[in-house]
Amino acid sequence: MAPSSSRPLRQRHRPSPLHILLASIAALLTSLPVAATADGLPELGGGDGLYREILRDETVLRLKELGKISDGEGYLERTFLSPASIRATAVIISWMKDAGLTTWVDQMGNIHGRFELTNSTKEALLIGSHMDTVVDAGMYDGSLGIICAISALKVLKVAGKLQRLTRPVEVIAFSDEEGVRFQTTFLGSAAVAGTLPESILQVSDKSGTTVQDVLKMNSFEATSTAISQAKYNPESVGSYVEVHLEQGPVLEALRYPLGVVKGIAGQTRLKVIVDGSQGHAGTVPMKLRRDPMVAAAELVVTLERLCKEPNKLLTYDEECSCFTEESLAGLVCTVGELNTWPSASNVIPGQVNFTVDIRAMDDQVRETIVTSFSRLVLQKCDDRLVDCKVEHKHSAAATHCDPELTSQLKRAARSTVSAMPGRTVGAAGETPVLMSGAGHDAMAMARLTKIGMLFVRCRGGISHSPEEWVMDDDVWAAGLALFNFIDQNVLAVSEEELEAGQNAVAVS
């Protein structure tokens, strides 16, 4: 049952032992002493309005702390409802409470921290990202968006501005986005968006443990009815914003710390199976071979050419003349996995199969590339006298960010970069507008509400690796931009600000 108002649905059953334990740990963590001013508020430091101590120093420390909570020994791994995930939940709850938020954990393990004025009926602003990681991960992917959001709201608290929020604001740490454990992405955000199928409970991991089993092991109800309680009523949500490291090299090349996202690329995944004639590596003459490995190699190179220079390989029937340079921008194709049978050094393979990942912002471009590649596969396999089959494994349409939200985030980013000391930016000085080739929780949340995304520069464009790294000052810029976004769009104007604006007009 979905929430019927702007207030999220609270669980009506008795709190589980897990929830009681998490609440106790969170209470202990929030009771730890912090530096405070004479009026009892945590020390902001400096009067420049940049809140360095919270938005940079404390945020970076928290990123490092969360990055140490892992199921792996010597590397970072934190998957859906794993022991490390449960430990991380208690820590995140403590940070949310420290920011003045009311917290709870829903029936898919998502962590919520919310502030709203009494009897508020306005649509909520949701801000979030994911707390799970890949195997051998970096410490910024997902965590950066969660902690920056908490930090921005903590600044509102210590600056005495929480009470001026014109609508509810909620931070969500989604339990699963990467899909590492169950090979199914967006478990957390899809539950909130209301698009998670009931069949998800029976999906199993490599050990045979199902999603339902894992939920029960962690004291959740693990029923379709309970999971449906995580769903939000679309009428109660006004928008969703996500801060995320770019996971690409563009912002670094432009020498700019932040960028706004115009959309998330659509994706198609294929599996190509090539069957030939298995034989002895030393006795079958080259001219008599039906070698699937050589055919597969040619197909991989063909895919590369098709995506680098599509207009040279597309036929008239495939409407190559319809595609502009802009529509083809961001088209990327990848072969990430290749398997052979029997995979022996002295045997001509009998079968080779490989995966294909095709992404583009323009869905028509992506679909045309898929059609063209499928045609070329059959053509080149016929030429080599091998048998080929193309299986479609996954397809997702592109997701477009809301233009108004994008404009507001762009304004917040620009004002942030202009205000920060010692900033060096690209010659253009304009906040870059990017597309995302990677999937994000925003894709799932777009089924619930309008979305906006802010990207943060990362070194070398590296992600999903322990080498993933964001400069401390860029972490600061991300948190400050999010704070400015809230300040510019969600806060009521104070009497002092109104008077200052009137005086400025009178002087001019």
Side-chain angles (χ1 to χ4, degrees), residues 87-398:
R87 296 197 302 274
T89 295
V91 173
I92 293 171
I93 287 174
S94 73
W95 294 339
M96 288 178 169
K97 288 181 179 294
D98 180 48
L101 308 181
T102 300
T103 65
W104 71 98
V105 179
D106 69 26
Q107 287 292 324
M108 277 302 288
N110 299 312
I111 312 165
H112 302 253
R114 185 177 177 105
F115 181 86
E116 63 181 316
L117 298 176
T118 306
N119 299 322
S120 174
T121 58
K122 297 287 186 67
E123 297 174 337
L125 165 64
L126 306 182
I127 311 172
S129 198
H130 59 98
M131 63 180 291
D132 67 318
T133 74
V134 296
V135 178
D136 199 21
M139 69 178 185
Y140 298 93
D141 185 1
S143 298
L144 177 66
I146 296 168
I147 300 174
C148 279
I150 294 171
S151 296
L153 286 171
K154 180 174 179 178
V155 168
L156 288 174
K157 173 189 173 184
V158 299
K161 294 185 175 183
L162 273 180
Q163 297 298 324
R164 286 170 47 200
L165 287 172
T166 58
R167 55 180 170 137
V169 177
E170 181 176 322
V171 180
I172 307 178
F174 294 114
S175 57
D176 176 275
E177 183 257 14
E178 300 288 3
V180 170
R181 183 169 188 177
F182 291 98
Q183 300 297 299
T184 303
T185 57
F186 308 132
L187 286 179
S189 49
V192 172
T195 59
L196 201 62
E198 292 185 11
S199 59
I200 197 66
L201 289 170
Q202 303 311 317
V203 173
S204 59
D205 62 15
K206 292 179 180 178
S207 70
T209 304
T210 65
V211 172
Q212 187 172 48
D213 294 334
V214 172
L215 288 167
K216 286 182 176 179
M217 280 186 262
N218 287 283
S219 303
F220 293 99
E221 291 185 16
T223 64
S224 57
T225 300
I227 289 176
S228 70
Q229 293 174 4
K231 176 184 176 181
Y232 275 41
N233 182 344
E235 295 180 359
S236 74
V237 180
S239 55
Y240 170 81
V241 169
E242 182 167 356
V243 174
H244 205 282
L245 81 159
E246 181 195 353
Q247 300 181 292
V250 177
L251 289 174
E252 186 177 47
L254 295 174
R255 295 188 295 121
Y256 211 93
L258 304 172
V260 294
V261 181
K262 66 179 179 180
I264 304 170
Q267 179 187 38
T268 297
R269 290 182 184 175
L270 308 172
K271 181 178 182 180
V272 180
I273 302 171
V274 187
D275 287 303
S277 293
Q278 187 172 320
H280 195 291
T283 61
V284 181
M286 297 298 292
K287 291 184 178 181
L288 298 180
R289 295 187 179 194
R290 295 175 59 245
D291 189 339
M293 177 67 84
V294 180
E298 183 176 359
L299 293 176
V300 172
V301 174
T302 298
L303 177 67
E304 182 190 37
R305 284 189 59 213
L306 178 62
C307 293
K308 277 186 173 180
E309 304 173 311
N311 287 325
K312 291 186 178 180
L313 290 181
L314 294 176
T315 66
Y316 178 78
D317 290 341
E318 290 161 342
E319 303 179 296
C320 62
S321 61
C322 295
F323 299 137
T324 64
E325 185 175 341
E326 182 181 358
S327 67
L328 291 170
L331 169 65
V332 290
C333 304
T334 305
V335 173
E337 183 179 353
L338 188 147
N339 299 293
T340 69
W341 177 262
S343 194
S345 62
N346 62 344
V347 178
I348 302 166
Q351 183 184 90
V352 174
N353 64 72
F354 60 92
T355 61
V356 173
D357 184 305
I358 300 173
R359 306 188 190 206
M361 198 63 234
D362 187 311
D363 285 331
Q364 186 179 1
V365 167
R366 176 175 50 84
E367 291 164 4
T368 300
I369 294 296
V370 170
T371 300
S372 179
F373 179 65
S374 300
R375 171 182 59 79
L376 290 167
V377 166
L378 297 180
Q379 174 186 312
K380 293 186 178 296
C381 286
D382 282 345
D383 293 344
R384 288 190 170 273
L385 302 178
V386 294
D387 298 318
C388 290
K389 181 169 61 173
V390 179
E391 297 179 350
H392 288 246
K393 294 296 185 181
H394 170 76
S395 185

